[in-house]
Amino acid sequence: MKRYEVCAVKASNKEQHVHAVFETIAPKYDFMNDLLSFRRHKAWRAFTMRKMSVREGQSAIDLCCGTCDWTISLASASRTGSIVGLDFSRNMLEYGRQKIEKLGLQRQISLVHGNAMQLPFDDNQFDYATIGFGLRNVPDIDRVLSEMTRVVKPGGKVVCLELSKPSSEPFRSLYYFYFEQILPLLGRWFAKRHDQYKWLPESLVAFPNLEQLAERFSAAGLKEVQAYPLTLGIAALHIGTKGSDHAAEK
């Protein structure tokens, strides 16, 4: 088997595994996010929204939108702009749809069952492309960043909020002990899903650190890349801007 064929098989296996994980944990996803992050994910998203400075009428696509918390935040900030939430898990989208309908935002937010590595949208369509706690789960990080860059307008922003890797001791050791040993047990006790929550620390092992992900943003052709460590490096925010010359460079 050729090398590129091996890579394709590995990517396909990862995609199938991640899909199965999120289809299964959808009912407890919001509760477990609050529990496992000590509700810090809400503060991280609020910080991200402040940095984004979304204006009324601006559009956005939220990749790996899950149960749509960030999708809804984008709609609230934009007020009248068109917002798309995209995810490959129908179960996650269904829980998101219920939230959106409860808030009366179904005319502003469109939900799409799709793949982040092959977005069903034209070039230069959105003011923002966001992905929250999903980039480490995709088979090909660079392809997703390239797709995000493609669909935003010149001057638009690609935004990633994701778990990261603390570097300072002794916090780093304590964090990894919690993430690798305690977190799967909490998944077993509260969500009855040990193997699925064991996947979360495993998904971070090969994921780029703060500086490496910033380099990947630049490699995707994004300019003015900003990287912010959050809560001692537990999470990180990356923002890059699509230059007006991006199409010409391609």
Side-chain angles (χ1 to χ4, degrees), residues 62-121:
D62 185 25
L63 278 63
C64 305
C65 65
T67 58
C68 298
D69 281 350
W70 197 358
T71 317
I72 291 168
S73 294
L74 290 164
S76 298
S78 175
R79 297 184 182 179
T80 58
S82 175
I83 309 298
V84 173
L86 180 141
D87 203 287
F88 71 165
S89 168
R90 292 188 185 277
N91 284 352
M92 298 288 275
L93 287 173
E94 174 57 24
Y95 282 92
R97 182 190 63 78
Q98 294 174 22
K99 291 181 185 178
I100 290 165
E101 291 185 354
K102 186 176 181 179
L103 294 169
L105 295 172
Q106 57 268 39
R107 290 187 177 182
Q108 187 184 1
I109 298 175
S110 301
L111 296 183
V112 175
H113 179 245
N115 193 323
M117 297 197 300
Q118 191 173 359
L119 299 179
F121 296 97

Side-chain angles (χ1 to χ4, degrees), residues 6 40 49 56 59 66-67 109 116 159 192 233 236:
V6 173
R40 293 306 301 164
M49 291 299 295
E56 183 172 353
S59 60
T67 58
I109 298 175
V159 185
K192 311 303 180 186

Side-chain angles (χ1 to χ4, degrees), residues 19 49 52 109 129 133-134 157 210 216 230:
H19 181 267
M49 291 299 295
M52 290 173 64
I109 298 175
F133 307 108
K157 298 185 183 300
L210 182 84
R216 304 283 273 271
L230 305 171

Side-chain angles (χ1 to χ4, degrees), residues 3-227:
R3 181 177 180 276
Y4 70 84
E5 292 174 333
V6 173
C7 291
V9 170
K10 288 181 178 179
S12 176
N13 288 342
K14 178 176 180 179
E15 188 171 19
Q16 292 172 11
H17 177 66
V18 173
H19 181 267
V21 167
F22 283 95
E23 286 283 89
T24 304
I25 67 175
K28 291 284 188 178
Y29 182 76
D30 290 337
F31 170 77
M32 292 302 294
N33 273 357
D34 285 349
L35 176 67
L36 299 177
S37 74
F38 303 100
R39 298 179 66 87
R40 293 306 301 164
H41 71 102
K42 296 179 183 294
W44 299 335
R45 188 168 62 250
F47 174 83
T48 299
M49 291 299 295
R50 290 195 296 271
K51 289 295 181 182
M52 290 173 64
S53 300
V54 178
R55 299 192 304 273
E56 183 172 353
Q58 288 189 311
S59 60
I61 179 169
D62 185 25
L63 278 63
C64 305
C65 65
T67 58
C68 298
D69 281 350
W70 197 358
T71 317
I72 291 168
S73 294
L74 290 164
S76 298
S78 175
R79 297 184 182 179
T80 58
S82 175
I83 309 298
V84 173
L86 180 141
D87 203 287
F88 71 165
S89 168
R90 292 188 185 277
N91 284 352
M92 298 288 275
L93 287 173
E94 174 57 24
Y95 282 92
R97 182 190 63 78
Q98 294 174 22
K99 291 181 185 178
I100 290 165
E101 291 185 354
K102 186 176 181 179
L103 294 169
L105 295 172
Q106 57 268 39
R107 290 187 177 182
Q108 187 184 1
I109 298 175
S110 301
L111 296 183
V112 175
H113 179 245
N115 193 323
M117 297 197 300
Q118 191 173 359
L119 299 179
F121 296 97
D122 294 335
D123 298 355
N124 308 320
Q125 188 166 343
F126 300 97
D127 294 298
Y128 293 93
T130 65
I131 184 166
F133 307 108
L135 192 61
R136 74 186 186 283
N137 294 320
V138 302
D140 190 332
I141 292 171
D142 297 315
R143 183 170 174 179
V144 171
L145 291 177
S146 177
E147 279 290 273
M148 294 174 77
T149 303
R150 178 182 67 80
V151 299
V152 296
K153 304 172 184 176
K157 298 185 183 300
V158 171
V159 185
C160 173
L161 177 60
E162 185 55 274
L163 296 177
S164 192
K165 299 177 178 180
S167 57
S168 299
E169 294 289 3
F171 180 73
R172 181 178 184 276
S173 295
L174 291 171
Y175 169 73
Y176 276 105
F177 176 77
Y178 169 76
F179 206 50
E180 295 172 358
Q181 303 298 326
I182 305 301
L183 187 149
L185 292 178
L186 292 175
R188 173 186 289 172
W189 294 337
F190 291 97
K192 311 303 180 186
R193 294 288 185 270
H194 176 270
D195 290 344
Q196 287 84 348
Y197 281 93
K198 186 179 178 182
W199 160 255
L200 295 179
E202 292 175 353
S203 69
L204 190 60
V205 172
F207 191 70
N209 63 23
L210 182 84
E211 294 80 12
Q212 291 167 339
L213 187 54
E215 292 173 359
R216 304 283 273 271
F217 264 60
S218 296
L222 294 163
K223 312 294 185 183
E224 303 172 5
V225 178
Q226 299 170 301

